[in-house]
Amino acid sequence: MNSPLLDDIGKLIFRVGFGVLFLMHGINKVMHGIDGIESMVVNAGLPAEIAYGVYVGEVLAPLLIIVGWHARIGAILTAITMAFAFTLAHSHEIFELTAHGGWQLELQGMFLLASIAIALSGPGRISLNGR
């Protein structure tokens, strides 16, 4: 196999895996609502309507990433979503470790870094955009 094909297969696996894992959080919000997020947004002094952006960041954006259609835009949206999550929901945990020595926010950190990686590397040729 040639290297460009392996790169594209790697991007496909990374993109789909990340997108599905991120989308699961969005499905939970669709099924159970966003009241908790709305209260965090309001407590931060922001308009409550901003909370509805979670549907864009956790449902639409992962779908864009999974299928590889404007995946870079989807990845930027998931990175913005994670920045909001860090700020609104997890700011008190940034410097905490788990009982096993891992970073308290390693899942959130992995989502943020993976979003940035997809935004920088693109979806690969095995995608709807094909680039």
Side-chain angles (χ1 to χ4, degrees):
M1 294 186 125
N2 62 25
S3 182
L5 178 60
L6 291 177
D7 287 345
D8 289 325
I9 291 170
K11 287 179 180 182
L12 172 68
I13 293 168
F14 183 53
R15 213 181 66 233
V16 171
F18 168 81
V20 168
L21 293 172
F22 210 89
L23 179 62
M24 300 305 285
H25 293 268
I27 290 170
N28 181 273
K29 308 276 187 325
V30 169
M31 293 174 58
H32 301 289
I34 59 167
D35 293 340
I37 294 170
E38 192 171 23
S39 66
M40 284 188 274
V41 167
V42 170
N43 289 339
L46 299 168
E49 292 78 18
I50 289 178
Y52 290 95
V54 76
Y55 293 123
V56 173
E58 292 188 11
V59 178
L60 177 62
L63 290 172
L64 293 175
I65 292 168
I66 290 167
V67 299
W69 188 65
H70 299 291
R72 290 179 195 258
I73 293 170
I76 291 167
L77 292 171
T78 58
I80 292 168
T81 299
M82 291 315 304
F84 267 90
F86 268 90
T87 304
L88 296 177
H90 300 289
S91 61
H92 64 283
E93 299 172 305
I94 288 179
F95 299 108
E96 291 184 12
L97 299 176
T98 66
H100 303 287
W103 186 30
Q104 187 69 35
L105 300 178
E106 57 191 26
L107 175 64
Q108 293 85 354
M110 187 66 72
F111 278 153
L112 176 61
L113 294 173
S115 296
I116 294 168
I118 294 168
L120 293 173
S121 66
R125 290 178 295 167
I126 307 171
S127 64
L128 285 184
N129 285 109
R131 44 191 157 129

